[in-house]
Amino acid sequence: EELLSGLKGGRFDAAMLDVETVPPEYEARLIYWSPLALVGTQAALESTADLGALLASMPIAVPSPKSGLRQAVTRYLDATLGEAQREKLTLIEIDSIPVIVNLILHHGFLSVLPEASVSNIRGDLGRVPLGEEHALPLRLVWPPGGGRSVGAMVLALMDEA
């Protein structure tokens, strides 16, 4: 929301957002779909094949409700758990992936994170990929008009890489 406000106020010419939909007053281009994974310690993830029971049995670190990642986590939990199971969840809001990883490794938490955020972390960190239907979109967003030239320039630079 802060990035959209910055675009609207002219503080930013373009922004990268992890949102499913972009407000109609902006132009956008999908850059990447980031696969998501259920992340926990190896021992926790291997303890049961019933992910619903696992999710209900451990605290879950999640980003704040307005973030695109939290919205993706909510969609995953809604698709995976029944209402009675969702009511039993313990969700703790943390807006820092390094802090979330620390909670997972040292304090018995679970989380749903982009696989790319945790793929190079060594140690006891395990992950269960959630499949294509639970991926996080990353979009370049810019206001029409003045920001478009910056948006087009960024896209051209990305295409060259």
Side-chain angles (χ1 to χ4, degrees):
E1 201 165 295
E2 184 178 325
L3 291 174
L4 287 174
S5 174
L7 286 172
K8 186 174 187 174
R11 240 183 9 211
F12 308 125
D13 294 317
M16 296 293 272
L17 303 177
D18 60 352
V19 295
E20 190 70 31
T21 58
V22 176
E25 64 267 24
Y26 298 99
E27 295 188 45
R29 179 169 165 197
L30 178 65
I31 302 299
Y32 177 69
W33 281 100
S34 180
L36 297 177
L38 177 62
V39 182
T41 62
Q42 292 284 350
L45 295 177
E46 293 170 359
S47 67
T48 180
D50 182 353
L51 291 183
L54 180 65
L55 289 163
S57 71
M58 299 176 72
I60 304 169
V62 295
S64 59
K66 293 186 180 183
S67 75
L69 178 55
R70 172 63 176 274
Q71 293 167 20
V73 171
T74 299
R75 284 191 300 277
Y76 168 71
L77 293 173
D78 289 348
T80 305
L81 304 173
E83 185 175 342
Q85 287 176 305
R86 286 193 310 271
E87 289 176 1
K88 294 178 183 176
L89 296 177
T90 301
L91 302 178
I92 308 296
E93 291 181 12
I94 307 287
D95 278 330
S96 167
I97 289 179
V99 172
I100 290 173
V101 170
N102 187 317
L103 289 171
I104 292 166
L105 288 172
H106 304 290
H107 301 285
F109 278 68
L110 296 171
S111 192
V112 174
L113 296 170
E115 285 190 58
S117 298
V118 294
S119 62
N120 291 325
I121 297 176
R122 297 184 183 163
D124 189 30
L125 194 69
R127 61 187 185 277
V128 176
L130 301 182
E132 291 180 16
E133 65 274 16
H134 298 292
L136 185 66
L138 184 60
R139 300 176 192 283
L140 180 65
V141 179
W142 64 93
R148 182 173 176 82
S149 61
V150 172
M153 181 177 69
V154 170
L155 291 170
L157 289 170
M158 292 174 76
D159 286 341
E160 290 176 14

